[in-house]
Amino acid sequence: MTTNERERDFTHLFSETVQETMNNAGYGSWRSISDPAAVSLSFGFPFPESFPNDELVASAEAVFEAEGDVALQYTGGEYASGLSGVVADRARDRGIDCEDDEVILTNGSTHAIDVVSQTFLDPGDLVVTEAPTFMGALSLFRNYGVDIEGVEMDADGLDVDALAADLEARESEGRPLPKLLYTIPTFHNPTGVTLAEDRRKRLLELAAEYEFVVLEDDAYGELRYEGADVPSLAALDDTGLVVRVSTFSKTIAPGIRTGWIVADEELAEEMRRINAGGTNTFTQGVVGRYCEAGLLEENVVDLRESYSERCAHMLACLDEYMPAGADWSDPDGGFFVWVELPEGVDAEEMLPEAVEEGVVYLPGHLFYPDDRGHDCLRISFSHVPLDEMERGIEALAAATRTATSVESTADD
Ligand SMILES: Cc1ncc(COP(=O)(O)O)c(C=O)c1O
């Protein structure tokens, strides 16, 4: 039964946070503007052929065969309990000093960010993010009633000098200092850029000096197509202030909803205690078996090859079709390209024209905690086939040209 049929307004029953966030435009406007005929470059969905269906079926069968009904019990079986060890081993391979009990398995990395938020955040606390940042994290932080401040980025990631200046000003003016800084340092969503190593070190110095938690979201770190690896923040950290979250969503499939937190033992203990409701132990068993059979490493090699081709194709199409005055990022990995439109063009206002031309994207302002990013947009090369991608970029270029000419006529 709908609210209208009951003629009842539930608003006063909602929590203050829900009342404050329910009309937030973050997830609204762009949803209504789409068209089945338009190429969707909006979302970071993996392409369906990348899903290892047969291998997951075989892993599930092997789990049932080895563990029987235990696999479906609350606790899960040995493959499920072995998955923390697999994650810890892989973290150690990447230079992260981590014991098996410093890994907490979660139902994906968004859930992991939620557990970290529950552990550290009170209403009114300050959270610093990159500006722009992953909009899923922004809406999640808003659920905690915190203040969010976005620090600018450039082609080398978060502007740590701007962060340092902000922290210094806050301290000297007696304004609140951050409790937590959320960052996606490697193949950032939405810009695709990677935080330079010297900036990583500086960020950790600032965290130690001002004592805030650094929440490192490394959803895309394994999907590098160009250049040399940069050590993760967790690998560079010797303060224990870095809490790292990651996921199998991009390296196996998002529907398995399996991710993890790596945190210092003392923090991990509280997070484990606070994480109510349990996690998906059956899937953890299947993933555990999949990893132990060496299939994850093989899949990551294949994924790097196919996403690398997709990324190169998107960049080539942008070079070929986009008009002068537009600029875009040059990612070495991940799923996204960030486009800056010619001066005066607003990505949200341009969307209906883009749909008409045959493409959908996400307007940049959705990725900001404040009113910035109107001249930017995010496109993803992870989902659509190469020929559709090309049509999508041609349509984006056509819409940009129209919007630019409207803008310059308005200026005349
Ligand atoms: C930076 C970042 N973190 C987390 C997620 C979500 O991951 P999960 O599916 O594990 O919740 C995404 C997915 O879009 C992402 O881009």
Side-chain angles (χ1 to χ4, degrees), residues 44 107-111 113 134 137 182 184 187-189 217-220 245-250 254 257-259 336 378:
N107 301 328
S109 55
T110 310
H111 177 217
I113 299 168
F134 170 43
Y182 169 73
I184 311 154
F187 318 136
H188 178 260
N189 178 3
D217 182 345
D218 195 24
Y220 301 95
V245 298
S246 191
T247 179
F248 290 114
S249 284
K250 317 296 174 179
R257 305 308 305 134
T258 302
F336 305 108
R378 187 193 79 177

Side-chain angles (χ1 to χ4, degrees), residues 212-240:
F212 53 82
V213 172
V214 175
L215 175 51
E216 172 178 44
D217 182 345
D218 195 24
Y220 301 95
E222 300 211 33
L223 299 176
R224 174 176 282 283
Y225 323 129
E226 294 281 339
D229 278 341
V230 183
S232 75
L233 290 168
L236 293 169
D237 179 47
D238 56 13
T239 65

